[in-house]
Amino acid sequence: MATAEMPSEILFDNEVVKVTLYADEGGCVYFHDILPADASPRAQGTPHFESSATPLSEVRLSGEGNSQSKTSKALVGSYVGTRLKYRSHEIKTDEAQGRKTLDVALHDEQTGITVTSHMTLFDGLPVLRSSTTIRNDGTKDVVVTQISSLVIGGLTRSKEWWADFNVSYATNTWFREAQWRGMSLPDVGLDDFGLYQLDQGHLAPMSIFNVSNRGTFSTQGHLPIGILKHRNNAETWLWQVENNGSWKWELGDWKDDLYLAATGPNSNDHDWRQRLAPGDSFTSATAAVCHIFGDVDAAFGAFTQYRRRIRRDHPDHKHLPIIFNDYMNCLMGDPTDEKILALIEPVAKSGAEYFVIDAGWYADDNDWWDDVGAWEPSKKRFPMGFKNLLDKIRAAGLKPGLWVEAEVIGVRSAVADALPPAAYFQRDGERILEKNRYQLDFRHPAVIERMDGVIDRLVTSYGVAYFKFDYNIEVTQGTDVASSSPGAGQLAHNRAYLRWVSGLLDRYPGLVIENCSSGAQRMDDAMNAVHTLQSTSDQQDPYGTPPSRPRSILPWCRSRRRPGRTRSPGGMMRRTR
């Protein structure tokens, strides 16, 4: 269904959720609600609810800050957002894929840009997926400094939302991932009580609460996910940003209620700017949101089903084999013929189906950190021949796997200067150095050609059936090579890397590729929608690895090992659905 007439309301729904949008008299489009399909429309709660709605898309162009009283650090209140007017909308149903999409096109007459919000619903799931495309339909270049993935105002319909709702977010460190912290809204600086006492025409105070990340470690510090829940656990909002790089989400108060905004990189936080010549377009990162009248567990149940729906299909997801990795509590990056041979029989008897040789297989000694990049097996470590060793793993009924850091080359590597300068991340003409390693730029065809050759050789010549793709440096600078800005170069690399991994799985459909990054420092759903499984932690104490529940803060003790309990040899990964 397509229309050129401006509707007063747009309904977009499936069996379990209904999404409504409306356009005001001036043509600005807003989210009205995201509700369970069987729910009655929510009461407005405050006498001026409509004023707390936010424009469907918030876009900033170079030189423009905020048009209204919110701080320019916020993701809302842009000049363009208020200028964007309804142009058309279209709903498409894809029965084969079990989903439908809504595209709402908006236009800014002043600059000539057209912004299209893309929304997707999947059959049977109460989760809305959202992204935004901006196209320059004007006559001169524009420089985009922010483009929202999702903006929803009027979240709570509560007159005292600061007392009725709490926010939760998850910290994520190298040895302690997915640790949820719950706080009251006043504790994070969101308390509108004083504003109502002023009554001086203020739209909102300047305070915002945001969680963000900058750099190639997409989940270092925090996961790109948040929760807003009612104190009686009867209502929950859950959202995430799906980007394997920089991102930001924020909560803030706007007039009479809370808003949620999410985005990939932007200028203020991530040195991102995208120049668009006439006819050029750019699409934002993706975000997803769920709103249910239920508790956090119910919301995560829906999100789990959503994540399974968006991931790339793979036979591994149905079989769920057990994987043995020789790193933690075992060889710790020092494999040899003798050590691997001693492990094969007990690993086979354990019921594992994959035997993964982790770091060190490519180096003659343990001083290999800044020497990686050639990805040739060490003859010193494996005098019997690496292929012969992998053949013995196969003979025991196990599939061999290898650890590889595909995106880096060490400064001492024999291939450190084998690629052209533009194949590496750079700033101001200098190759970026991080922990004695260089960052490869997967936009460059020489990088793709080289890494395709490496993986093809290991698969076809050695019979490798599993790769643990690790990544252990963090580049926050981005790259200014062939890009509008360092942040734009980094984002383009991120997307090119995912295309490369997808290409490997297209060529080798049975190949298993694990997503690892110093444990789980890239545990985002852009990566996990493509990779086969996720590495969870470099924490070697099993009592330190479980994530905390969203409802509470679990105490963290330095040692929880029970008396008499010993560590198991090697890292055994048991799969769960």
Side-chain angles (χ1 to χ4, degrees):
M1 177 188 67
T3 179
E5 297 181 4
M6 185 179 70
S8 60
E9 181 179 88
I10 301 171
L11 176 63
F12 182 50
D13 61 358
N14 62 18
E15 317 93 293
V16 293
V17 64
K18 54 185 176 183
V19 180
T20 53
L21 300 91
Y22 72 92
D24 64 18
E25 293 181 355
C28 290
V29 180
Y30 309 86
F31 270 110
H32 181 267
D33 223 333
I34 301 173
L35 286 172
D38 58 356
S40 301
R42 290 190 298 170
Q44 293 183 358
T46 59
H48 305 293
F49 160 69
E50 301 301 337
S51 67
S52 64
T54 54
L56 184 62
S57 296
E58 290 281 14
V59 174
R60 283 185 171 83
L61 302 179
S62 186
E64 294 186 344
N66 261 31
S67 65
Q68 302 186 57
S69 65
K70 204 73 176 173
T71 171
S72 292
K73 295 177 182 177
L75 296 176
V76 299
S78 67
Y79 283 94
V80 176
T82 57
R83 296 200 305 256
L84 289 171
K85 308 300 182 184
Y86 174 87
R87 171 169 279 187
S88 65
H89 77 276
E90 183 176 13
I91 297 176
K92 297 179 181 178
T93 300
D94 185 340
E95 295 183 358
Q97 296 295 323
R99 65 188 180 194
K100 61 172 60 175
T101 58
L102 167 63
D103 292 334
V104 180
L106 312 169
H107 187 68
D108 174 26
E109 291 290 345
Q110 180 173 318
T111 61
I113 64 171
T114 300
V115 175
T116 303
S117 291
H118 312 286
M119 287 157 273
T120 302
L121 291 175
F122 297 87
D123 292 351
L125 296 183
V127 179
L128 178 73
R129 200 178 198 202
S130 176
S131 64
T132 307
T133 296
I134 179 171
R135 186 180 69 244
N136 184 3
D137 291 329
T139 58
K140 62 180 183 178
D141 288 7
V142 296
V143 177
V144 185
T145 60
Q146 176 198 310
I147 178 170
S148 61
S149 303
L150 176 72
V151 185
I152 307 174
L155 293 177
T156 73
R157 315 299 168 92
S158 169
K159 293 180 179 179
E160 296 186 349
W161 46 261
W162 57 88
D164 290 338
F165 285 81
N166 297 320
V167 62
S168 297
Y169 59 95
T171 59
N172 200 68
T173 64
W174 192 353
F175 302 113
R176 193 67 172 147
E177 289 94 345
Q179 300 304 302
W180 282 91
R181 312 292 189 233
M183 302 183 73
S184 72
L185 292 173
D187 282 346
V188 298
L190 297 178
D191 185 346
D192 225 9
F193 180 79
L195 182 64
Y196 291 119
Q197 308 308 307
L198 289 173
D199 194 22
Q200 295 174 357
H202 292 282
L203 301 176
M206 289 185 286
S207 59
I208 52 175
F209 174 69
N210 65 74
V211 179
S212 66
N213 177 76
R214 174 173 177 163
T216 49
F217 274 173
S218 61
T219 58
Q220 194 282 320
H222 296 89
L223 296 181
I225 188 168
I227 301 168
L228 180 71
K229 70 180 185 70
H230 199 280
R231 59 184 177 180
N232 66 9
N233 293 315
E235 182 180 357
T236 304
W237 288 88
L238 173 63
W239 60 88
Q240 69 179 20
V241 186
E242 299 166 10
N243 190 47
N244 57 323
S246 302
W247 52 267
K248 180 179 182 179
W249 64 257
E250 76 181 26
L251 287 175
D253 48 323
W254 185 248
K255 302 182 181 178
D256 300 319
D257 208 333
L258 283 179
Y259 71 86
L260 164 68
T263 181
N266 65 75
S267 179
N268 282 345
D269 300 287
H270 313 111
D271 201 6
W272 177 90
R273 294 170 302 284
Q274 184 67 50
R275 179 176 293 275
L276 299 179
D280 286 350
S281 62
F282 171 82
T283 298
S284 74
T286 300
V289 64
C290 172
H291 178 217
I292 65 168
F293 291 146
D295 62 13
V296 169
D297 287 344
F300 268 105
F303 243 57
T304 298
Q305 295 302 314
Y306 162 74
R307 288 165 171 166
R308 291 171 181 165
R309 190 72 64 88
I310 66 171
R311 69 184 179 183
R312 180 190 176 101
D313 191 32
H314 195 282
D316 175 87
H317 297 154
K318 301 176 179 65
H319 182 52
L320 299 178
I322 296 173
I323 300 135
F324 173 83
N325 180 291
D326 71 14
Y327 189 72
M328 291 194 298
N329 297 319
C330 196
L331 303 187
M332 299 298 293
D334 190 25
T336 63
D337 279 341
E338 181 181 7
K339 293 175 181 179
I340 297 296
L341 289 172
L343 287 169
I344 292 175
E345 182 179 355
V347 169
K349 289 182 177 179
S350 74
E353 297 175 50
Y354 287 88
F355 190 119
V356 179
I357 301 174
D358 208 276
W361 60 271
Y362 39 79
D364 289 342
D365 55 42
N366 288 335
D367 188 23
W368 49 257
W369 173 265
D370 55 2
D371 194 28
V372 298
W375 307 116
E376 295 279 357
S378 168
K379 294 179 181 179
K380 181 178 179 181
R381 288 182 181 275
F382 310 109
M384 68 180 294
F386 198 56
K387 187 176 187 306
N388 289 334
L389 179 63
L390 298 191
D391 286 344
K392 289 186 179 295
I393 290 174
R394 272 188 295 274
L398 298 163
K399 297 178 182 180
L402 292 179
W403 178 98
V404 171
E405 279 196 79
E407 293 169 78
V408 301
I409 290 183
V411 296
R412 292 194 302 112
S413 173
V415 298
D417 295 314
L419 298 174
Y424 301 91
F425 271 35
Q426 296 182 40
R427 286 295 294 269
D428 302 315
E430 297 292 332
R431 195 188 313 188
I432 290 175
L433 181 65
E434 184 72 28
K435 296 181 180 178
N436 281 340
R437 290 174 166 189
Y438 301 122
Q439 169 76 45
L440 292 175
D441 190 336
F442 272 66
R443 295 177 298 164
H444 199 285
V447 174
I448 301 299
E449 181 181 4
R450 168 163 180 74
M451 291 314 302
D452 275 351
V454 167
I455 300 304
D456 291 346
R457 170 172 48 82
L458 293 173
V459 171
T460 58
S461 299
Y462 292 93
V464 175
Y466 185 111
F467 285 104
K468 178 179 179 179
F469 279 173
D470 206 345
Y471 179 78
N472 291 297
I473 67 172
E474 182 179 21
V475 179
T476 58
Q477 300 99 317
T479 178
D480 58 13
V481 175
S483 61
S484 302
S485 63
Q490 180 172 308
L491 178 63
H493 156 79
N494 294 340
R495 293 175 172 181
Y497 176 75
L498 290 179
R499 289 194 298 271
W500 177 70
V501 174
S502 295
L504 295 180
L505 292 169
D506 288 341
R507 291 203 302 279
Y508 306 109
L511 185 66
V512 175
I513 301 180
E514 175 185 346
N515 175 31
C516 181
S517 182
S518 293
Q521 301 310 290
R522 296 201 296 188
M523 192 166 58
D524 62 81
D525 274 308
M527 294 287 278
N528 284 333
V530 173
H531 292 73
T532 320
L533 73 158
Q534 170 68 51
S535 181
T536 55
S537 186
D538 275 1
Q539 170 62 254
Q540 294 187 91
D541 186 337
Y543 293 98
T545 56
S548 65
R549 291 174 61 81
R551 290 193 181 121
S552 62
I553 302 173
L554 294 186
W556 167 235
C557 301
R558 290 190 177 272
S559 177
R560 289 185 172 182
R561 191 173 293 109
R562 296 175 185 171
R565 196 175 262 267
T566 59
R567 294 177 176 177
S568 60
M572 190 73 73
M573 188 179 295
R574 185 174 297 276
R575 310 294 297 285
T576 62
R577 287 188 174 85

